[in-house]
Amino acid sequence: MTPAGPFVIAVRTSLLLVVAVTVQLSVASRIEVFGVQGDLMLLIAAMAGLAAGPDRGAVVAFATGIAFDLVLQSPFGLSALVYVIVAYVVGSLQDTVLRAAWWIPSATAAIGSLFGVILYGVFGTILGRDLVDPALLRIAAVVAVLNALAAPLVLPVVRWATDTRDSVRARAIMR
Amino acid sequence: MALSRRTGRSRLTIALLVITSITVLTLDFRDSAVVSGARDVAAKVFSPLRGVAETATEPFSNAWNGITRYPDLERENEELRATIDEMRGERVRDADAAEQLAGLLDQLDIEWVGDIPTATARVIAGPGSNFSRSIEIDKGSDHGLKEGMPVVNGAGLVGKLVQVTDRRSHVMLITDPDFAVGVRLVDSGVTGTAEGTGEGKPLIVDTGLEAGSEVKEGTPLTTSGSDRSAFPGFILVGTVVDTRTGSGGLTVDLVVEPLVDTSRLAFLTVLLWEPSR
């Protein structure tokens, strides 16, 4: 299959982000588990790191964070900063994984989400929002479980958007 | 060699992205017009998409929330019935007191909140993430709403409008750490500034009262409505639940429980009021 050009990837990624923001605002944020909302945007950032690696994954994660920050009334750029770090860490860790398994996307989504929520809380507190409290751990744990469940559905979409379906990395993630 | 070149490029990419993120954060903290303009455009793009998606998925999300929150809803229903009974009696007393207060303020030429024109709005969306504290209502500039207008409900002050599009607006809640309002203690008339500290947490009021001053627990606070205040006066804000030593050790800060439960809002009233410049 002919690889998609940069323009096609940019269009696909933009489409993914528009749909993802809409789903996050209208569906994920209205379905609460133990008082915690789903976090599709953080999952996309983690899956971008997994599918496209630390380099391209971080760029997609940055765009994801900026798209989300645009529609929230929270510090603009905070989600982007957190997502970039999550995607970079996830992508870098994936490079060190020696064997492939079906559970890797879910485990990565769980760890990436746990890390991402706590990082957001810490950075938010540094910016004067007082987010580090016991509720932060509850949010992190619930988001990690929800994102682990959703990861097998979201990863193929992120692979399609970033055109990494047939890459060596993609084949190494799931067998 | 190839691996180290790739690692170097990755580090450069992440460094650039982190610097860009910090730059936009700084722009936001400086209230840059670029950021607010971009947010306005995003709100206009996503509002209709969100409306369609919410309508399509409403039965599913209602069913989910009905199943997972059924015991809570049942308990709340019982509590609400008891509260309604109590309020029936209070309403009669309050109506009489409000009439007397309005008359007195009229004589003193002070603006009475009951005279301000209002617009009733429905909450159509809660916070979009676990860390966002703003909510969205179904009225916008087409209905006369403007940024900064106060938002209340039957219990008291809910927040203020921070982003207004044609038919929707975002409300910054009173519990948001960026929210601040001038307040007055009802019994003593002492004024101060109340600031939000996060969802489910009390407001902190810096009053300038000397350390050791006593403030009775349960004392109500209203908006101060002083000159150039961002809110009209006499809107109920909360009640004092505790006091603590201020940051310098010389003053007392009040810990105030908001009267409004910001986690359960359905219909709100926007006061079509703008501060005098």
Side-chain angles (χ1 to χ4, degrees):
Chain A
M1 191 182 284
T2 316
F7 178 73
V8 174
I9 293 175
V11 170
R12 284 183 187 174
T13 306
S14 304
L15 185 65
L16 167 69
L17 295 183
V18 169
V19 173
V21 169
T22 307
V23 171
Q24 171 65 38
L25 295 178
S26 55
V27 183
S29 66
R30 297 169 84 194
I31 295 175
E32 293 191 350
V33 176
F34 300 116
V36 177
Q37 302 171 2
D39 197 336
L40 177 63
M41 307 307 284
L42 179 55
L43 177 59
I44 287 175
M47 292 299 98
L50 186 66
D55 209 3
R56 282 177 59 198
V59 175
V60 174
F62 176 78
T64 308
I66 287 291
F68 200 24
D69 284 330
L70 275 174
V71 295
L72 296 180
Q73 297 298 320
S74 46
F76 186 69
L78 185 53
S79 302
L81 178 62
V82 170
Y83 292 180
V84 163
I85 296 170
V86 167
Y88 182 78
V89 170
V90 165
S92 302
L93 284 178
Q94 176 58 27
D95 280 342
T96 64
V97 174
L98 296 177
R99 79 185 187 85
W102 62 269
W103 49 264
I104 284 182
S106 289
T108 309
I111 295 166
S113 300
L114 199 71
F115 174 59
V117 170
I118 291 171
L119 201 60
Y120 192 103
V122 171
F123 284 172
T125 302
I126 291 169
L127 295 171
R129 302 210 133 231
D130 197 17
L131 299 175
V132 176
D133 57 20
L136 181 66
L137 290 178
R138 179 169 51 91
I139 294 170
V142 174
V143 169
V145 171
L146 291 176
N147 283 357
L149 294 172
L153 300 173
V154 173
L155 182 59
V157 183
V158 175
R159 275 191 194 151
W160 167 79
T162 54
D163 196 41
T164 51
R165 279 173 299 176
D166 301 316
S167 66
V168 174
R169 166 180 287 276
R171 287 198 296 275
I173 296 166
M174 276 174 101
R175 276 183 188 156
Chain B
M1 182 70 95
L3 182 67
S4 92
R5 213 172 28 237
R6 209 185 76 183
T7 308
R9 198 184 63 187
S10 293
R11 284 186 184 151
L12 178 66
T13 306
I14 188 153
L16 285 173
L17 292 173
V18 167
I19 290 168
T20 311
S21 302
I22 293 170
T23 305
V24 292
L25 266 169
T26 311
L27 284 174
D28 187 32
F29 270 79
R30 288 173 170 265
D31 290 330
S32 160
V34 178
V35 173
S36 57
R39 278 188 158 147
D40 286 345
V41 171
K44 280 179 184 158
V45 170
F46 282 104
S47 277
L49 290 175
R50 190 177 181 177
V52 171
E54 277 171 359
T55 307
T57 57
E58 197 158 22
F60 173 71
S61 54
N62 284 350
W64 172 267
N65 289 327
I67 294 164
T68 55
R69 290 172 50 194
Y70 184 76
D72 290 342
L73 291 173
E74 212 169 25
R75 195 185 62 243
E76 269 175 31
N77 197 9
E78 284 170 14
E79 286 173 2
L80 283 171
R81 283 173 196 277
T83 309
I84 287 170
D85 287 341
E86 279 176 33
M87 288 177 73
R88 278 195 184 117
E90 284 175 11
R91 195 175 66 174
V92 178
R93 290 195 298 276
D94 288 352
D96 181 46
E99 204 168 299
Q100 288 180 34
L101 177 63
L104 282 169
L105 293 171
D106 193 37
Q107 284 174 26
L108 295 169
D109 200 22
I110 297 174
E111 189 175 33
W112 163 235
V113 68
D115 295 336
I116 297 170
T118 60
T120 304
R122 188 170 67 92
V123 177
I124 48 174
S129 84
N130 288 304
F131 298 107
S132 173
R133 293 274 57 90
S134 77
I135 56 170
E136 206 171 346
I137 56 174
D138 67 347
K139 295 273 165 67
S141 54
D142 286 356
H143 309 90
L145 273 57
K146 289 180 183 168
E147 280 183 22
M149 285 182 168
V151 182
V152 300
N153 71 1
L157 186 65
V158 172
K160 66 175 180 181
L161 300 182
V162 284
Q163 188 181 43
V164 179
T165 59
D166 301 350
R167 295 179 182 184
R168 289 186 173 208
S169 304
H170 279 279
V171 180
M172 179 195 279
L173 297 174
I174 192 171
T175 48
D176 192 296
D178 290 336
F179 189 90
V181 54
V183 292
R184 181 196 308 270
L185 281 164
V186 167
D187 59 355
S188 61
V190 169
T191 56
T193 305
E195 291 181 357
T197 59
E199 180 62 26
K201 295 175 185 169
L203 310 176
I204 299 298
V205 181
D206 175 9
T207 58
L209 282 171
E210 282 178 22
S213 305
E214 280 195 22
V215 177
K216 247 190 296 176
E217 199 178 306
T219 305
L221 291 97
T222 65
T223 50
S224 63
S226 53
D227 277 354
R228 299 192 180 188
S229 172
F231 297 88
F234 305 102
I235 303 172
L236 278 169
V237 175
T239 54
V240 177
V241 290
D242 201 2
T243 56
R244 68 179 199 191
T245 309
S247 53
L250 299 173
T251 57
V252 173
D253 284 350
L254 308 180
V255 181
V256 172
E257 191 69 37
L259 288 170
V260 171
D261 180 359
T262 52
S263 65
R264 304 218 188 285
L265 297 168
F267 287 92
L268 301 174
T269 302
V270 180
L271 302 181
L272 304 179
W273 179 93
E274 289 178 276
S276 51
R277 305 224 176 252

